[in-house]
Amino acid sequence: METERIGTDAASLARAAACLRSGGLVAFPTETVYGLGARADDAAAVRRIFEAKGRPADNPVIVHVAGAAAARALAAKWPARAEALAAAFWPGPLTLVVARDRTRVPDVVAAGGPTVALRCPAHPVAQALLRATGLPLAAPSANRSTSISPTTADHVLKTLAGRIDLVVDGGPTGVGPGLFGIESTIVDVTVAGGEMVVLRHGAIGLEELARFGSVVDRADRVTAQGERAQAPGALARHYAPVARLRVVAADRVAVEVADARAAARRVAVVTRVEVPAGADLVERLPADPAGYAAGLYAALHRVDDAGCDDVLVVAVPESPGWAAVRDRLRRAAVPGVL
Ligand code: TXA
Ligand code: MG
């Protein structure tokens, strides 16, 4: 299969929609990262996502919908909390885990489980495809399993060229007002007590959710690979570059760089503050969480492209606004085999 890169003009989007309708695989931009889409009502099409990504079958995928009405149609139960959160944050980077209507959502989407994760993306290209197909679209991040998430069409092609039909090139994701370059916040609203259980940090922070009731944070439980967890994809080595990643204090950079160089290792530094010279590559990111998040994955892709052995990421602030960034860095830094 040859993967074609297409644009976002009306004819290209019509082609992408036709491909999706006939069971094909189309990568497209969302406001977080590129997703790898397939029609969610077709088990065979969704199985192709798992094959293309090399994704374990026990890791369910998120279903993208055009709006709350389409979400309700896939849920066996749609709690008042889901309605309130959807009204407040959709379209946007919030994924809601609700009870699955087994007659409408195939087992493969949910990895056989009782729930389904639903998200209404804000990106105009994602919205256009949802409207043009008139279908819910299953779409995990458009990368091979365990590699860095894609924020450009080039990143998608790096690991999925030859494995998918089309990539709709809508430019870099996460750049602009209301956009965020790391994956959506995932909230489970199936809990009987009515509390919101956060399974993955993202652009929508805990404080924002807390306006709608009590919040339980389960995102910090880094799970061992293979262990069945509540958000099974949130594995320890998810989002990891090939280079060995460590989070270090700014005042440790000089000595760590020197150590790496002494060991003849190529070393990169990813930072939002000024650091001493000496590394083989310095990726300077914006000092605000949204700007940093928008640039993080692209920086890590460049670190790998440059063939670095080590990447030192200067620690980010402990404040709530940085929770999603801290979460991805923590996961990427966990030592262990891929
Ligand atoms: O921003 C995003 O959410 C991006 C864009 C493409 O929409 N998508 C994304 O998908 O990050 P993926 O597959 O890379 O991550 C989905 C996460 C995984 O950790 C998966 O285990 C979890 O969502 N998940 C999916 N369905 C679930 C369910 N029913 N219950 C709990 N977790 C679920
Ligand atoms: Mg992913």
Side-chain angles (χ1 to χ4, degrees):
M1 174 194 293
E2 206 172 313
T3 304
E4 203 180 327
R5 181 201 301 255
I6 61 174
T8 59
D9 54 287
S12 296
L13 292 180
R15 230 186 110 193
C19 179
L20 286 163
R21 268 196 301 270
S22 64
L25 297 185
V26 177
F28 59 85
T30 79
E31 71 274 36
T32 60
V33 301
Y34 273 73
L36 177 57
R39 58 185 298 167
D41 61 344
D42 178 346
V46 177
R47 247 177 254 122
R48 275 182 217 122
I49 294 179
F50 284 79
E51 282 159 28
K53 281 181 62 85
R55 187 180 180 98
D58 65 355
N59 188 3
V61 294
I62 295 176
V63 175
H64 295 63
V65 291
R72 274 192 298 272
L74 303 177
K77 271 190 221 130
W78 184 253
R81 186 82 76 226
E83 187 64 29
L85 292 172
F89 298 110
W90 282 3
L94 178 71
T95 295
L96 297 173
V97 172
V98 298
R100 167 170 69 115
D101 182 338
R102 289 174 184 270
T103 67
R104 290 180 180 260
V105 181
D107 279 345
V108 58
V109 169
T115 60
V116 60
L118 300 171
R119 147 156 156 74
C120 174
H123 197 288
V125 171
Q127 276 290 334
L129 287 177
L130 288 164
R131 280 194 304 270
T133 55
L135 292 167
L137 298 174
S141 55
N143 53 290
R144 287 280 287 173
S145 224
T146 75
S147 54
I148 311 166
S149 297
T151 57
T152 67
D154 282 338
H155 296 162
V156 174
L157 291 168
K158 248 167 90 173
T159 64
L160 293 178
R163 297 177 168 272
I164 66 177
D165 295 291
L166 300 171
V167 52
V168 181
D169 189 346
T173 61
V175 185
L179 308 187
F180 201 71
I182 57 186
E183 297 84 345
S184 60
T185 305
I186 304 182
V187 181
D188 182 344
V189 290
T190 63
V191 181
E195 70 249 288
M196 294 165 275
V197 180
V198 175
L199 303 180
R200 182 174 71 184
H201 289 293
I204 312 293
L206 266 47
E207 331 71 56
E208 284 173 273
L209 295 172
R211 291 195 281 122
F212 297 85
S214 68
V215 175
V216 180
D217 184 0
R218 290 267 169 74
D220 281 343
R221 278 195 342 195
V222 173
T223 55
Q225 198 152 24
E227 181 191 334
R228 181 136 190 150
Q230 274 180 309
L235 297 169
R237 277 292 284 185
H238 221 64
Y239 319 105
V242 176
R244 189 174 61 136
L245 184 149
R246 271 172 307 146
V247 177
V248 298
D251 61 9
R252 290 283 305 163
V253 168
V255 59
E256 296 281 354
V257 165
D259 282 357
R261 302 290 306 244
R265 295 172 69 83
R266 269 178 84 72
V267 58
V269 176
V270 174
T271 181
R272 37 174 255 297
V273 295
E274 202 66 52
V275 291
D280 294 286
L281 175 69
V282 175
E283 287 290 341
R284 186 70 190 256
L285 292 175
D288 66 296
Y292 188 103
L296 177 62
Y297 288 144
L300 294 178
H301 275 282
R302 285 192 295 272
V303 167
D304 278 349
D305 293 345
C308 291
D309 304 295
D310 290 304
V311 51
L312 306 170
V313 180
V314 174
V316 298
E318 287 298 318
S319 53
W322 288 89
V325 167
R326 282 198 309 275
D327 170 88
R328 298 309 188 277
L329 293 178
R330 197 168 41 82
R331 293 177 198 285
V334 170
V337 276
L338 266 178

